[in-house]
Amino acid sequence: MIVTPYFETKNHSQNYKYQMEQENSFTGQESFDIINKMIQRAQNKIDDSSFYYLFWGWLVLIASIANFIMLKMELPNPFLPWVLMPLGGVVTGIYSYKNKKSKVVSTYLDDLMKYVVTAFLISLAIVLFFMSKLGLSSYPMIMMIYAIWLFISGGALKFKPLIIGGIINWVLAITAFFFEFDVQLLLISAAVLMGYIVPGYMLKSRSHKSIPKANSL
């Protein structure tokens, strides 16, 4: 019978405990790294939402400028360019559907943005449908809807240019209540330029810069 000295058994136990602690520590670090990678990749996916801001920004800018020109030239049906809005809703819906199908995993922020876009489209459709009743309040109401979308999505994406764009839209919406249709068209053009188009390109640029970082993770 072989008797193991007490101090050797104790040392073996301490070594085993030390190895277990090291393994647990290493596993914790690995978990932390994995979480960071997931967050980074999710952020890159969300940054792809620049499409919505650029698409709607240019769409509204074209419609408002065309409406302004038709009013000044006294052409018939000057509000006809706003027919682009329902078409824009259809395009956005198709894009969202295809984008959703291409994603393997949907994040919480993806779901949040889906509801924000849906609320925006429904609210915009209601205002456009009742423009004849809203009268001079139509365009200020549209800018308020834009501001809500920009402010919420900017906060969700932690992207200050969108938040600032939302605030600008609120300010211009209040201003528009004191002017006639022709001036309101210029104000809404400025609103989408500063609230959608400029931040949209900034968001797109940030997305392109972050893609190499995400691929290296």
Side-chain angles (χ1 to χ4, degrees):
M1 179 178 180
I2 300 174
V3 179
T4 304
Y6 168 76
F7 69 88
E8 289 185 7
T9 304
K10 184 178 180 181
N11 287 339
H12 178 73
S13 176
Q14 289 177 342
N15 289 337
Y16 178 76
K17 183 179 180 181
Y18 175 76
Q19 289 176 0
M20 289 295 294
E21 289 176 351
Q22 288 294 100
E23 288 177 2
N24 290 337
S25 176
F26 181 71
T27 302
Q29 184 62 42
E30 278 186 329
S31 300
F32 182 75
D33 291 340
I34 290 171
I35 292 171
N36 279 335
K37 290 177 183 178
M38 291 175 66
I39 292 172
Q40 183 64 49
R41 287 171 181 168
Q43 185 65 52
N44 291 329
K45 288 181 180 179
I46 294 166
D47 283 348
D48 292 341
S49 61
S50 60
F51 165 81
Y52 298 105
Y53 306 103
L54 292 174
F55 178 78
W56 280 100
W58 282 110
L59 196 68
V60 174
L61 183 64
I62 292 170
S64 57
I65 294 297
N67 191 173
F68 178 81
I69 293 172
M70 292 177 74
L71 275 176
K72 292 301 180 182
M73 296 180 67
E74 298 183 355
L75 297 175
N77 302 316
F79 302 106
L80 192 60
W82 293 102
V83 175
L84 292 172
M85 299 301 106
L87 296 176
V90 173
V91 173
T92 302
I94 294 172
Y95 176 85
S96 299
Y97 177 74
K98 289 184 176 180
N99 194 39
K100 183 179 179 180
K101 286 185 68 177
S102 65
K103 287 186 177 182
V104 179
V105 179
S106 179
T107 66
Y108 170 77
L109 285 176
D110 288 330
D111 293 335
L112 174 63
M113 292 304 298
K114 178 183 69 176
Y115 284 106
V116 171
V117 171
T118 302
F120 163 74
L121 292 175
I122 293 173
S123 301
L124 182 62
I126 292 172
V127 172
L128 292 175
F129 186 80
F130 290 103
M131 280 184 73
S132 60
K133 294 184 178 293
L134 291 170
L136 282 174
S137 300
S138 299
Y139 293 142
M141 291 292 292
I142 290 172
M143 280 185 274
M144 288 177 64
I145 293 171
Y146 291 162
I148 293 170
W149 181 20
L150 291 168
F151 195 80
I152 294 175
S153 59
L157 298 172
K158 300 188 184 301
F159 192 62
K160 287 185 178 180
L162 287 176
I163 297 174
I164 295 171
I167 295 171
I168 291 173
N169 270 258
W170 272 319
V171 172
L172 292 177
I174 295 171
T175 305
F177 279 111
F178 299 96
F179 291 94
E180 296 297 322
F181 269 125
D182 55 347
V183 178
Q184 287 183 356
L185 288 168
L186 297 178
L187 289 173
I188 200 170
S189 299
V192 295
L193 179 63
M194 293 183 286
Y196 281 75
I197 297 174
V198 173
Y201 280 114
M202 294 173 68
L203 190 64
K204 187 175 183 179
S205 176
R206 188 181 78 165
S207 176
H208 288 168
K209 288 179 182 178
S210 61
I211 286 173
K213 294 180 181 179
N215 292 335
S216 64
L217 292 176

